[in-house]
Amino acid sequence: MKIGVPREIKNHEYRVGLTPASVRELTARGHSVLVQTGAGAAIGLGDADYQAAGATLVSDAAAVFAQAAMIVKVKEPQPPELALLRPGQILFTYLHLAPDPALTAALIRSGAICIAYETVTGRQHTLPLLAPMSEVAGRMAVQVGAAHLEKSRGGMGVLLGGVPGVPASHVVILGAGTVGAHAAQVAVGMGARVTVLNRGLERLRALDQLHGNRITTLQASAQAIEDAVLGAELVIGCALVAGAAAPQLVSRALVARMKQGAVVVDVAIDQGGCFETSHPTTHADPTFVVDGVVHYCVANMPGNVARTATLALNNATLPCVLALAGKGWQQAMREDPHLREGLNVAQGHVTHEAVARQLGHLWVPADRLLG
């Protein structure tokens, strides 16, 4: 198969779909890989590295899309890229369609085979292609939250871990999945007072066994969320429903009652966000203030640590890329029900039930398109 890797064009997005090491694995199996010049240059993956791995360099994205049977990206296609998709072409990337009806409609019109990293499943209901970026985002959330608590960034002017004689800041984490677990780990390490809320007790038990009395775990009732948020200096929102919009856990009215200069980091913004007051921001302009509360809602947080994120992502995605390239999308999905869950839009149909339900489209199960 001929596989294309365009340079990412979303604001401050420096990750790349395939590393030279991944290209080498593909070319060793007889596939050809087209890489747009400069695709990995910003994170130290130069054109010469790709050529040495067997890739063919292509000067512009239009040529990559025109020649490749499968496009491997990191972020959802931007408008100029949507115009380049064609019927039957495989698109393998993060999509996050539930909060984006315009993108979903454009992918339906394209006729392309659109497979989303974030809905590919694993054993025990895991999301293995989302997990690497969730790990990165969870750790970053505490870092950026601590930075924006500084007065120069608009925060109330407190140190996350405090100092002897001065109490540590209270970090509240809404959701105990991969993002929440990694956020808790970093917050504990920085000396914060940490409370994690989740609707499922199993995840809370796991975190309790890991951290013991260094964190507080609470069942995420409306009252518990309200009490915790009102007492927090930093709130990290990371609740997730696979394929669907994130649950809005914090209302505008509750934000208005939070401490002045508190910070919220909405890691779930890719799926619509956990806070009613959230809207997507960029690395170039990452924050806004509502009722005295600083909101950090960057939709591609791991893009700011792009080299680490790219390497972690490729560790997870490469086996799927090899399967799709070696067997074709239909055979690969017939054999692997977990990969099949990644199919969101195909041949003009919405094939993921949660996306269809969220956006009001007819759901066509993937099985019907697999021959």
Side-chain angles (χ1 to χ4, degrees):
M1 183 180 284
K2 189 170 286 188
I3 301 154
V5 182
R7 185 168 60 242
E8 298 290 329
I9 60 174
K10 188 166 184 171
N11 178 274
H12 283 255
E13 182 54 76
Y14 306 112
R15 290 173 290 181
V16 62
L18 293 175
T19 64
S22 295
V23 169
R24 182 176 178 180
E25 294 293 324
L26 287 159
T27 56
R29 289 164 171 79
H31 305 294
S32 57
V33 182
L34 308 174
V35 177
Q36 185 179 355
T37 54
I43 56 173
L45 304 177
D47 291 345
D49 299 319
Y50 282 103
Q51 285 182 307
T56 300
L57 297 179
V58 180
S59 61
D60 61 83
V64 173
F65 278 82
Q67 297 179 54
M70 175 164 61
I71 300 294
V72 179
K73 283 176 44 55
V74 177
K75 289 304 293 177
E76 73 281 356
Q78 305 301 294
E81 297 171 315
L82 286 168
L84 300 175
L85 287 169
R86 64 178 186 272
Q89 188 173 43
I90 301 169
L91 172 66
F92 193 33
T93 188
Y94 286 116
L95 290 174
H96 298 290
L97 295 181
D100 200 336
L103 175 59
T104 305
L107 294 177
I108 291 170
R109 289 193 299 270
S110 75
I113 311 304
C114 306
I115 307 166
Y117 293 159
E118 73 273 8
T119 62
V120 173
T121 58
R123 295 180 179 179
Q124 299 179 332
H125 308 291
T126 58
L127 300 170
L129 307 194
L130 185 61
M133 297 305 93
S134 296
E135 292 165 355
V136 171
R139 294 177 181 225
M140 287 186 69
V142 181
Q143 291 182 192
V144 299
H148 284 89
L149 280 170
E150 296 172 7
K151 200 66 181 174
S152 62
R153 303 283 188 95
M156 63 175 65
V158 297
L159 186 66
L160 199 69
V163 294
V166 178
S169 299
H170 186 196
V171 177
V172 170
I173 301 169
L174 303 176
T178 303
V179 174
H182 282 261
Q185 179 181 341
V186 173
V188 167
M190 293 178 72
R193 182 163 61 92
V194 180
T195 299
V196 182
L197 297 97
N198 196 65
R199 287 184 177 162
L201 290 177
E202 288 305 312
R203 290 296 303 167
L204 294 179
R205 287 192 179 101
L207 288 179
D208 183 74
Q209 290 173 358
L210 179 63
H211 295 291
N213 60 8
R214 290 179 296 173
I215 68 171
T216 299
T217 58
L218 295 173
Q219 175 72 11
S221 67
Q223 186 66 56
I225 291 172
E226 179 176 329
D227 292 344
V229 166
L230 292 179
E233 280 74 43
L234 170 60
V235 183
I236 298 171
C238 47
L240 173 70
V241 179
Q248 283 197 349
L249 301 178
V250 180
S251 67
R252 180 176 295 272
L254 183 53
V255 168
R257 296 167 58 201
M258 290 177 64
K259 296 179 180 180
Q260 293 289 293
V263 175
V264 302
V265 178
D266 200 340
V267 184
I269 194 65
D270 278 321
Q271 293 292 104
C274 293
F275 300 82
E276 187 180 1
T277 45
S278 291
H279 63 75
T281 60
T282 66
H283 290 292
D285 188 15
T287 63
F288 58 92
V289 178
V290 177
D291 292 326
V293 176
V294 179
H295 289 58
Y296 182 99
C297 304
V298 175
N300 57 329
M301 285 179 63
N304 223 20
V305 288
R307 186 179 177 95
T308 295
T310 293
L311 296 173
L313 181 61
N314 269 240
N315 288 339
T317 57
L318 181 59
C320 295
V321 175
L322 290 169
L324 291 165
K327 301 172 183 178
W329 69 276
Q330 289 174 307
Q331 182 61 30
M333 290 184 178
R334 280 195 294 266
E335 295 181 8
D336 186 349
H338 296 299
L339 181 57
R340 191 186 314 152
E341 289 294 320
L343 191 65
N344 279 217
V345 175
Q347 299 174 342
H349 304 288
V350 177
T351 54
H352 194 281
E353 184 177 11
V355 173
R357 183 172 58 250
Q358 185 73 38
L359 298 179
H361 287 281
L362 176 68
W363 172 48
V364 176
D367 290 351
R368 295 186 190 176
L369 305 179
L370 296 183

